[in-house]
Amino acid sequence: MADSLDEAQLAAWMRAACDGDGRAQARLLSGLAPRLRAYFRAKGRPPDQAEDLVQETLIAVHTKRALYDVGQPLLPWVLAIARFRLVDAWRREGRFGSPASLDDAPEEALSAEERAPAEASRDLAKLLRLLPEKQRRSIELVKLEERSVAEAAALSGWSESDVKVSAHRGLKALMRLAALGHGGTR
Amino acid sequence: MKTDDLIAALSRGVEPASRTELVRRAVLALVAGASLALGLLWLTLGIREDLLAAAVPVALKAAFAALATVGAGFAAVHLARPGGRASSLAAFAAVLVGGLAVAAISLAGLAPGERLGAWLGGGFPSCIVRIPLLSVPVALLLIRAWREAAPTRLALAGTAIGALAGGLAAIVYSLYCPIDSVAFVATWYGVGIGLSAAVGALLGTRLLRW
């Protein structure tokens, strides 16, 4: 873990991402993913299901970032989301309660890194098809086809703010669908 | 979709985060909830007829409920964020406990024969049922707004939201409530708000998932 990123660096990228910096966002999420992967696997999730939770958590970090208080440390905030996603997955499987093993300190829980990603057990691209037309198209245009919001608006005929709001709502809906167990296993 | 592709997708077209959006939703839910509770009260029980003559006791009752509301509001805001802690409910709990202490002191100052009447208000204290009932629509509106935030301790967040809704309901209820005894209000308003908090905990664990 010689090249492990520290809290201050991640938090700095988060602040920049909250100001609309896409490159900082990519660095932040790439820095968090190996930690989250190691965390979920350490909690007993098989690699493919751990990858599902990594993806859910990354979407949540993005869609819930307005709630991040820039004065507070970032890793405990991320851990709280990760833990919540994990308990939610257990709940879907009919496991109740949150064992004491979840009460580990943020700096320890997210210290290990697992850099080799597994194939996720469900495919977000398939889930995307379940979204309403406007949300799906907005996500495809802006997030997958690398178009600017202005281009996406021109192509779709919706207003720019419509595209922005739909893409954001779509991401949240995508995470809800994922959390409800849609998307199936391969 | 591979995780790296997801990261690339999430990093395209990143907009600055809107911090005012959630505040706007919360304020809207509070204003709509309070108006709804007021409308419900007006339609069902009505407003007490001697409202102006009884302005001082009504204001005192509303002030006690407002203290609980502020304490609960503080906790609700704190618990809306990932990683919120149970200790944020301490101020709210302190208001309820303080109310019981005030009730005890007030009863101690009365003649033994008058105590039971002053405490129970001459019958069953129906506000412990009416305040939670009045708080349910408010709580549902607040839960809808809070789900957009990211509460991770759902039972605790639900408790705080229920307490907040109960406090608001109690402020509204004070416009009807004809009983002005200090011991009555300091005990049973607190119980009513506490029951609202319990209802909130039940609703929260089911409805706050995101």
Side-chain angles (χ1 to χ4, degrees):
Chain A
M1 259 179 291
D3 57 346
S4 166
L5 302 159
D6 62 352
E7 158 73 41
Q9 177 62 74
L10 290 167
W13 284 334
M14 178 67 163
R15 282 194 296 276
C18 285
D19 290 337
D21 181 341
R23 286 173 70 179
Q25 167 99 326
R27 288 179 175 145
L28 168 72
L29 298 182
S30 303
L32 291 176
R35 293 166 184 260
L36 292 168
R37 190 174 293 126
Y39 173 73
F40 290 126
R41 290 193 194 180
K43 295 300 173 192
R45 304 302 288 181
D48 59 337
Q49 292 176 23
E51 208 64 25
D52 291 347
L53 288 170
V54 171
Q55 296 187 351
E56 279 178 31
T57 308
L58 292 178
I59 297 177
V61 166
H62 171 65
T63 56
K64 304 292 183 182
R65 66 206 168 120
L67 263 289
Y68 170 61
D69 181 346
V70 289
Q72 295 293 315
L74 177 67
L75 285 177
W77 186 81
V78 173
L79 178 63
I81 293 178
R83 187 192 281 142
F84 178 74
R85 302 270 32 121
L86 179 64
V87 172
D88 203 60
W90 284 347
R91 206 181 282 147
R92 290 199 293 277
E93 293 159 5
R95 271 172 72 177
F96 284 89
S98 56
S101 68
L102 283 183
D103 291 335
D104 28 22
E107 50 278 11
E108 286 163 28
L110 291 180
S111 62
E113 300 194 346
E114 172 53 64
R115 291 180 175 278
E119 204 70 42
S121 86
R122 65 161 147 60
D123 190 359
L124 287 177
K126 279 187 197 158
L127 276 187
L128 201 55
R129 290 182 217 138
L130 299 177
L131 293 182
E133 166 73 14
K134 202 167 182 179
Q135 295 178 0
R136 180 182 60 77
R137 195 74 194 113
S138 299
I139 291 180
E140 284 172 355
L141 286 168
V142 179
K143 303 289 182 188
L144 300 179
E145 296 173 14
E146 305 191 43
R147 298 189 197 268
S148 70
V149 172
E151 286 172 339
L155 275 169
S156 63
W158 299 314
S159 75
E160 290 191 24
S161 71
D162 249 9
V163 170
K164 279 193 270 191
V165 169
S166 299
H168 190 70
R169 285 202 184 138
L171 283 177
K172 284 199 275 191
L174 199 61
M175 198 187 58
R176 271 188 87 71
L177 284 176
L180 288 171
H182 289 278
T185 45
R186 285 168 196 280
Chain B
M1 187 183 281
K2 293 187 187 307
T3 299
D4 283 346
D5 297 335
L6 174 70
I7 291 174
L10 289 175
S11 305
R12 279 183 205 119
V14 175
E15 299 288 329
S18 161
R19 292 177 181 280
T20 50
E21 171 66 14
L22 278 162
V23 177
R24 196 183 61 83
R25 278 173 186 273
V27 169
L28 207 65
L30 282 174
V31 172
S35 316
L36 194 61
L38 192 60
L40 269 177
L41 180 83
W42 189 66
L43 283 175
T44 53
L45 298 167
I47 308 290
R48 68 189 276 178
E49 280 164 14
D50 59 344
L51 187 65
L52 288 180
V56 173
V58 168
L60 284 174
K61 283 192 277 192
F64 173 61
L67 267 184
T69 307
V70 170
F74 169 80
V77 167
H78 181 78
L79 287 161
R81 294 172 188 283
R85 287 175 196 288
S87 55
S88 61
L89 279 161
F92 168 71
V95 173
L96 296 197
V97 172
L100 291 179
V102 168
I105 292 167
S106 144
L107 287 176
L110 295 176
E114 295 171 353
R115 283 177 190 162
L116 194 64
W119 190 50
L120 291 176
F124 176 76
S126 41
C127 60
I128 67 171
V129 179
R130 288 171 179 163
I131 289 174
L133 280 178
L134 215 48
S135 78
V136 167
V138 189
L140 291 176
L141 279 172
L142 291 174
I143 283 174
R144 205 169 138 249
W146 254 248
R147 199 170 46 200
E148 285 303 307
T152 52
R153 309 285 300 272
L154 300 190
L156 288 175
T159 303
I161 291 170
L164 176 54
L168 275 178
I171 295 175
V172 168
Y173 185 72
S174 68
L175 295 175
Y176 159 79
C177 171
I179 302 164
D180 296 332
S181 139
V182 172
F184 177 89
V185 172
T187 307
W188 303 113
Y189 272 41
V191 171
I193 297 171
L195 285 174
S196 306
V199 173
L202 286 174
L203 290 177
T205 43
R206 284 161 185 76
L207 302 180
L208 276 173
R209 289 175 64 194
W210 51 273

